mmCIF file of all heavy atoms in Angstrom:
data_model
loop_
_atom_site.group_PDB
_atom_site.id
_atom_site.type_symbol
_atom_site.label_atom_id
_atom_site.label_comp_id
_atom_site.label_asym_id
_atom_site.label_seq_id
_atom_site.Cartn_x
_atom_site.Cartn_y
_atom_site.Cartn_z
ATOM 1 N N GLY A 4 82.472 -45.714 72.407
ATOM 2 C CA GLY A 4 83.216 -46.229 73.526
ATOM 3 C C GLY A 4 82.631 -45.724 74.894
ATOM 4 O O GLY A 4 83.381 -45.746 75.879
ATOM 5 N N TYR A 5 81.385 -45.321 74.951
ATOM 6 C CA TYR A 5 80.748 -44.873 76.170
ATOM 7 C C TYR A 5 79.802 -45.944 76.642
ATOM 8 O O TYR A 5 78.630 -45.941 76.251
ATOM 9 C CB TYR A 5 80.036 -43.546 75.949
ATOM 10 C CG TYR A 5 79.484 -42.899 77.218
ATOM 11 C CD1 TYR A 5 80.302 -41.991 77.923
ATOM 12 C CD2 TYR A 5 78.252 -43.190 77.679
ATOM 13 C CE1 TYR A 5 79.762 -41.385 79.118
ATOM 14 C CE2 TYR A 5 77.725 -42.586 78.858
ATOM 15 C CZ TYR A 5 78.481 -41.754 79.563
ATOM 16 O OH TYR A 5 78.008 -41.139 80.660
ATOM 17 N N PRO A 6 80.218 -46.765 77.562
ATOM 18 C CA PRO A 6 79.270 -47.784 78.138
ATOM 19 C C PRO A 6 78.310 -47.045 79.104
ATOM 20 O O PRO A 6 78.770 -46.289 79.935
ATOM 21 C CB PRO A 6 80.174 -48.748 78.866
ATOM 22 C CG PRO A 6 81.374 -48.000 79.167
ATOM 23 C CD PRO A 6 81.555 -46.914 78.141
ATOM 24 N N PHE A 7 77.063 -47.201 78.956
ATOM 25 C CA PHE A 7 76.090 -46.416 79.710
ATOM 26 C C PHE A 7 75.012 -47.302 80.319
ATOM 27 O O PHE A 7 74.777 -48.405 79.919
ATOM 28 C CB PHE A 7 75.400 -45.388 78.758
ATOM 29 C CG PHE A 7 74.500 -46.040 77.762
ATOM 30 C CD1 PHE A 7 73.146 -46.179 77.980
ATOM 31 C CD2 PHE A 7 75.041 -46.552 76.576
ATOM 32 C CE1 PHE A 7 72.333 -46.788 77.043
ATOM 33 C CE2 PHE A 7 74.212 -47.184 75.619
ATOM 34 C CZ PHE A 7 72.887 -47.327 75.874
ATOM 35 N N HIS A 8 74.398 -46.813 81.382
ATOM 36 C CA HIS A 8 73.246 -47.468 81.914
ATOM 37 C C HIS A 8 72.029 -46.541 81.848
ATOM 38 O O HIS A 8 70.879 -46.905 82.100
ATOM 39 C CB HIS A 8 73.470 -47.926 83.353
ATOM 40 C CG HIS A 8 73.296 -46.861 84.409
ATOM 41 N ND1 HIS A 8 74.318 -46.105 84.860
ATOM 42 C CD2 HIS A 8 72.218 -46.455 85.108
ATOM 43 C CE1 HIS A 8 73.875 -45.242 85.777
ATOM 44 N NE2 HIS A 8 72.619 -45.431 85.936
ATOM 45 N N LEU A 9 72.260 -45.259 81.459
ATOM 46 C CA LEU A 9 71.201 -44.254 81.271
ATOM 47 C C LEU A 9 71.601 -43.346 80.077
ATOM 48 O O LEU A 9 72.745 -42.888 80.015
ATOM 49 C CB LEU A 9 71.092 -43.432 82.564
ATOM 50 C CG LEU A 9 70.168 -42.228 82.506
ATOM 51 C CD1 LEU A 9 68.714 -42.689 82.469
ATOM 52 C CD2 LEU A 9 70.439 -41.302 83.640
ATOM 53 N N ALA A 10 70.627 -43.140 79.183
ATOM 54 C CA ALA A 10 70.879 -42.233 78.088
ATOM 55 C C ALA A 10 69.583 -41.691 77.580
ATOM 56 O O ALA A 10 68.555 -42.390 77.520
ATOM 57 C CB ALA A 10 71.628 -42.916 76.986
ATOM 58 N N ALA A 11 69.529 -40.411 77.251
ATOM 59 C CA ALA A 11 68.372 -39.795 76.643
ATOM 60 C C ALA A 11 68.898 -38.751 75.631
ATOM 61 O O ALA A 11 69.971 -38.210 75.788
ATOM 62 C CB ALA A 11 67.507 -39.137 77.708
ATOM 63 N N GLU A 12 68.063 -38.452 74.684
ATOM 64 C CA GLU A 12 68.430 -37.487 73.620
ATOM 65 C C GLU A 12 67.240 -36.587 73.299
ATOM 66 O O GLU A 12 66.081 -37.021 73.198
ATOM 67 C CB GLU A 12 68.842 -38.286 72.414
ATOM 68 C CG GLU A 12 69.148 -37.485 71.181
ATOM 69 C CD GLU A 12 69.504 -38.336 69.988
ATOM 70 O OE1 GLU A 12 68.691 -39.226 69.600
ATOM 71 O OE2 GLU A 12 70.583 -38.148 69.428
ATOM 72 N N ASN A 13 67.561 -35.300 73.093
ATOM 73 C CA ASN A 13 66.605 -34.346 72.591
ATOM 74 C C ASN A 13 67.184 -33.801 71.257
ATOM 75 O O ASN A 13 68.392 -33.586 71.145
ATOM 76 C CB ASN A 13 66.418 -33.144 73.508
ATOM 77 C CG ASN A 13 65.618 -33.453 74.753
ATOM 78 O OD1 ASN A 13 65.078 -34.545 74.902
ATOM 79 N ND2 ASN A 13 65.589 -32.502 75.672
ATOM 80 N N VAL A 14 66.338 -33.632 70.271
ATOM 81 C CA VAL A 14 66.744 -33.015 69.010
ATOM 82 C C VAL A 14 65.748 -31.924 68.651
ATOM 83 O O VAL A 14 64.573 -31.962 69.102
ATOM 84 C CB VAL A 14 66.865 -34.025 67.841
ATOM 85 C CG1 VAL A 14 67.958 -35.036 68.118
ATOM 86 C CG2 VAL A 14 65.542 -34.722 67.542
ATOM 87 N N ALA A 15 66.180 -30.957 67.907
ATOM 88 C CA ALA A 15 65.358 -29.870 67.492
ATOM 89 C C ALA A 15 65.872 -29.161 66.267
ATOM 90 O O ALA A 15 67.080 -29.288 65.971
ATOM 91 C CB ALA A 15 65.108 -28.822 68.657
ATOM 92 N N ALA A 16 65.049 -28.405 65.642
ATOM 93 C CA ALA A 16 65.497 -27.633 64.468
ATOM 94 C C ALA A 16 64.719 -26.296 64.437
ATOM 95 O O ALA A 16 63.547 -26.241 64.759
ATOM 96 C CB ALA A 16 65.300 -28.445 63.191
ATOM 97 N N GLY A 17 65.415 -25.239 64.045
ATOM 98 C CA GLY A 17 64.733 -23.980 63.800
ATOM 99 C C GLY A 17 64.913 -22.907 64.864
ATOM 100 O O GLY A 17 64.670 -21.747 64.593
ATOM 101 N N GLN A 18 65.290 -23.313 66.039
ATOM 102 C CA GLN A 18 65.450 -22.297 67.114
ATOM 103 C C GLN A 18 66.770 -21.530 66.864
ATOM 104 O O GLN A 18 67.822 -22.165 66.831
ATOM 105 C CB GLN A 18 65.502 -22.952 68.506
ATOM 106 C CG GLN A 18 64.221 -23.584 68.901
ATOM 107 C CD GLN A 18 64.003 -25.024 68.335
ATOM 108 O OE1 GLN A 18 64.875 -25.505 67.598
ATOM 109 N NE2 GLN A 18 62.924 -25.663 68.666
ATOM 110 N N PRO A 19 66.700 -20.235 66.789
ATOM 111 C CA PRO A 19 67.894 -19.462 66.465
ATOM 112 C C PRO A 19 68.907 -19.327 67.625
ATOM 113 O O PRO A 19 70.085 -19.042 67.396
ATOM 114 C CB PRO A 19 67.386 -18.089 66.041
ATOM 115 C CG PRO A 19 66.027 -17.999 66.646
ATOM 116 C CD PRO A 19 65.552 -19.356 66.772
ATOM 117 N N THR A 20 68.435 -19.481 68.869
ATOM 118 C CA THR A 20 69.324 -19.325 70.041
ATOM 119 C C THR A 20 69.219 -20.497 70.979
ATOM 120 O O THR A 20 68.183 -21.175 71.005
ATOM 121 C CB THR A 20 68.976 -18.052 70.835
ATOM 122 O OG1 THR A 20 67.692 -18.181 71.454
ATOM 123 C CG2 THR A 20 69.001 -16.820 69.925
ATOM 124 N N LEU A 21 70.287 -20.702 71.746
ATOM 125 C CA LEU A 21 70.282 -21.747 72.763
ATOM 126 C C LEU A 21 69.202 -21.459 73.830
ATOM 127 O O LEU A 21 68.467 -22.376 74.258
ATOM 128 C CB LEU A 21 71.631 -21.882 73.385
ATOM 129 C CG LEU A 21 71.794 -22.899 74.500
ATOM 130 C CD1 LEU A 21 71.528 -24.297 73.970
ATOM 131 C CD2 LEU A 21 73.187 -22.865 75.089
ATOM 132 N N THR A 22 69.030 -20.208 74.209
ATOM 133 C CA THR A 22 68.007 -19.856 75.172
ATOM 134 C C THR A 22 66.604 -20.245 74.648
ATOM 135 O O THR A 22 65.798 -20.803 75.408
ATOM 136 C CB THR A 22 68.059 -18.325 75.483
ATOM 137 O OG1 THR A 22 69.343 -18.051 75.981
ATOM 138 C CG2 THR A 22 67.021 -17.965 76.514
ATOM 139 N N GLY A 23 66.305 -19.899 73.422
ATOM 140 C CA GLY A 23 65.024 -20.273 72.841
ATOM 141 C C GLY A 23 64.824 -21.772 72.763
ATOM 142 O O GLY A 23 63.713 -22.244 72.988
ATOM 143 N N LEU A 24 65.890 -22.484 72.438
ATOM 144 C CA LEU A 24 65.848 -23.940 72.367
ATOM 145 C C LEU A 24 65.479 -24.516 73.761
ATOM 146 O O LEU A 24 64.567 -25.315 73.838
ATOM 147 C CB LEU A 24 67.196 -24.473 71.872
ATOM 148 C CG LEU A 24 67.357 -26.019 71.987
ATOM 149 C CD1 LEU A 24 66.551 -26.693 70.928
ATOM 150 C CD2 LEU A 24 68.839 -26.350 71.910
ATOM 151 N N ILE A 25 66.232 -24.085 74.752
ATOM 152 C CA ILE A 25 65.957 -24.631 76.107
ATOM 153 C C ILE A 25 64.573 -24.264 76.547
ATOM 154 O O ILE A 25 63.827 -25.090 77.185
ATOM 155 C CB ILE A 25 66.997 -24.091 77.150
ATOM 156 C CG1 ILE A 25 68.445 -24.544 76.749
ATOM 157 C CG2 ILE A 25 66.678 -24.534 78.567
ATOM 158 C CD1 ILE A 25 68.635 -26.050 76.695
ATOM 159 N N ASP A 26 64.073 -23.081 76.265
ATOM 160 C CA ASP A 26 62.693 -22.655 76.607
ATOM 161 C C ASP A 26 61.687 -23.604 75.923
ATOM 162 O O ASP A 26 60.731 -24.034 76.553
ATOM 163 C CB ASP A 26 62.461 -21.241 76.220
ATOM 164 C CG ASP A 26 63.118 -20.189 77.115
ATOM 165 O OD1 ASP A 26 63.516 -20.644 78.314
ATOM 166 O OD2 ASP A 26 63.211 -19.050 76.733
ATOM 167 N N ASP A 27 61.947 -23.948 74.671
ATOM 168 C CA ASP A 27 61.031 -24.855 73.996
ATOM 169 C C ASP A 27 61.027 -26.224 74.631
ATOM 170 O O ASP A 27 59.984 -26.875 74.768
ATOM 171 C CB ASP A 27 61.368 -24.939 72.482
ATOM 172 C CG ASP A 27 60.911 -23.725 71.670
ATOM 173 O OD1 ASP A 27 60.204 -22.858 72.221
ATOM 174 O OD2 ASP A 27 61.321 -23.669 70.473
ATOM 175 N N TRP A 28 62.219 -26.721 74.903
ATOM 176 C CA TRP A 28 62.284 -28.055 75.541
ATOM 177 C C TRP A 28 61.636 -28.091 76.888
ATOM 178 O O TRP A 28 61.082 -29.077 77.288
ATOM 179 C CB TRP A 28 63.730 -28.535 75.595
ATOM 180 C CG TRP A 28 64.289 -29.049 74.297
ATOM 181 C CD1 TRP A 28 63.524 -29.523 73.222
ATOM 182 C CD2 TRP A 28 65.618 -29.258 73.941
ATOM 183 N NE1 TRP A 28 64.374 -29.978 72.242
ATOM 184 C CE2 TRP A 28 65.682 -29.804 72.647
ATOM 185 C CE3 TRP A 28 66.842 -28.959 74.546
ATOM 186 C CZ2 TRP A 28 66.884 -30.128 71.952
ATOM 187 C CZ3 TRP A 28 68.042 -29.269 73.932
ATOM 188 C CH2 TRP A 28 68.051 -29.850 72.625
ATOM 189 N N LYS A 29 61.762 -27.011 77.628
ATOM 190 C CA LYS A 29 61.129 -26.926 78.999
ATOM 191 C C LYS A 29 59.627 -27.042 78.859
ATOM 192 O O LYS A 29 58.965 -27.553 79.746
ATOM 193 C CB LYS A 29 61.443 -25.602 79.665
ATOM 194 C CG LYS A 29 62.838 -25.517 80.269
ATOM 195 C CD LYS A 29 62.961 -24.099 80.845
ATOM 196 C CE LYS A 29 64.185 -23.857 81.544
ATOM 197 N NZ LYS A 29 64.226 -22.463 82.130
ATOM 198 N N LYS A 30 59.030 -26.587 77.794
ATOM 199 C CA LYS A 30 57.602 -26.595 77.605
ATOM 200 C C LYS A 30 57.057 -27.963 77.169
ATOM 201 O O LYS A 30 55.853 -28.225 77.207
ATOM 202 C CB LYS A 30 57.173 -25.598 76.551
ATOM 203 C CG LYS A 30 57.382 -24.188 76.914
ATOM 204 C CD LYS A 30 57.155 -23.216 75.745
ATOM 205 C CE LYS A 30 57.657 -21.830 76.059
ATOM 206 N NZ LYS A 30 57.624 -21.018 74.822
ATOM 207 N N SER A 31 57.967 -28.851 76.776
ATOM 208 C CA SER A 31 57.606 -30.213 76.373
ATOM 209 C C SER A 31 57.875 -31.197 77.450
ATOM 210 O O SER A 31 58.996 -31.306 77.928
ATOM 211 C CB SER A 31 58.432 -30.594 75.097
ATOM 212 O OG SER A 31 58.408 -32.008 74.931
ATOM 213 N N PRO A 32 56.858 -31.888 77.976
ATOM 214 C CA PRO A 32 57.075 -32.816 79.082
ATOM 215 C C PRO A 32 58.168 -33.835 78.835
ATOM 216 O O PRO A 32 58.987 -34.111 79.688
ATOM 217 C CB PRO A 32 55.756 -33.458 79.285
ATOM 218 C CG PRO A 32 54.713 -32.488 78.767
ATOM 219 C CD PRO A 32 55.430 -31.820 77.604
ATOM 220 N N THR A 33 58.205 -34.432 77.642
ATOM 221 C CA THR A 33 59.232 -35.435 77.309
ATOM 222 C C THR A 33 60.614 -34.837 77.257
ATOM 223 O O THR A 33 61.547 -35.395 77.859
ATOM 224 C CB THR A 33 58.897 -36.092 75.978
ATOM 225 O OG1 THR A 33 57.588 -36.656 76.010
ATOM 226 C CG2 THR A 33 59.884 -37.215 75.639
ATOM 227 N N HIS A 34 60.776 -33.706 76.603
ATOM 228 C CA HIS A 34 62.128 -33.071 76.511
ATOM 229 C C HIS A 34 62.540 -32.559 77.824
ATOM 230 O O HIS A 34 63.741 -32.695 78.191
ATOM 231 C CB HIS A 34 62.063 -31.952 75.434
ATOM 232 C CG HIS A 34 61.823 -32.440 74.079
ATOM 233 N ND1 HIS A 34 60.600 -32.366 73.429
ATOM 234 C CD2 HIS A 34 62.681 -33.043 73.166
ATOM 235 C CE1 HIS A 34 60.688 -32.867 72.258
ATOM 236 N NE2 HIS A 34 61.937 -33.306 72.059
ATOM 237 N N SER A 35 61.661 -31.994 78.571
ATOM 238 C CA SER A 35 62.003 -31.468 79.923
ATOM 239 C C SER A 35 62.464 -32.609 80.815
ATOM 240 O O SER A 35 63.481 -32.470 81.547
ATOM 241 C CB SER A 35 60.806 -30.742 80.531
ATOM 242 O OG SER A 35 61.098 -30.252 81.772
ATOM 243 N N ARG A 36 61.721 -33.704 80.798
ATOM 244 C CA ARG A 36 62.128 -34.868 81.647
ATOM 245 C C ARG A 36 63.491 -35.346 81.248
ATOM 246 O O ARG A 36 64.337 -35.676 82.132
ATOM 247 C CB ARG A 36 61.090 -35.997 81.406
ATOM 248 C CG ARG A 36 61.302 -37.173 82.264
ATOM 249 C CD ARG A 36 60.168 -38.217 82.194
ATOM 250 N NE ARG A 36 59.629 -38.501 80.860
ATOM 251 C CZ ARG A 36 58.477 -38.091 80.402
ATOM 252 N NH1 ARG A 36 57.647 -37.439 81.186
ATOM 253 N NH2 ARG A 36 58.073 -38.438 79.177
ATOM 254 N N ASN A 37 63.850 -35.370 79.937
ATOM 255 C CA ASN A 37 65.167 -35.801 79.585
ATOM 256 C C ASN A 37 66.279 -34.860 80.131
ATOM 257 O O ASN A 37 67.318 -35.284 80.594
ATOM 258 C CB ASN A 37 65.321 -35.829 78.035
ATOM 259 C CG ASN A 37 64.614 -36.998 77.424
ATOM 260 O OD1 ASN A 37 64.248 -37.955 78.091
ATOM 261 N ND2 ASN A 37 64.439 -36.950 76.086
#
């Protein structure tokens, strides 16, 4: 029920902490852009 005009998604597995996850996504141009 969420009508959108913009949407993006990042997924990941194996990072034990949120901080580590965000750090990994920052290093990836696609994930960082999202």
Side-chain angles (χ1 to χ4, degrees):
Y5 186 92
F7 68 95
H8 82 270
L9 172 73
E12 175 182 56
N13 288 353
V14 296
Q18 294 83 358
T20 66
L21 180 60
T22 301
L24 171 73
I25 298 299
D26 286 343
D27 283 353
W28 280 340
K29 284 178 175 180
K30 294 173 193 169
S31 162
T33 303
H34 294 102
S35 182
R36 185 172 43 250
N37 285 347

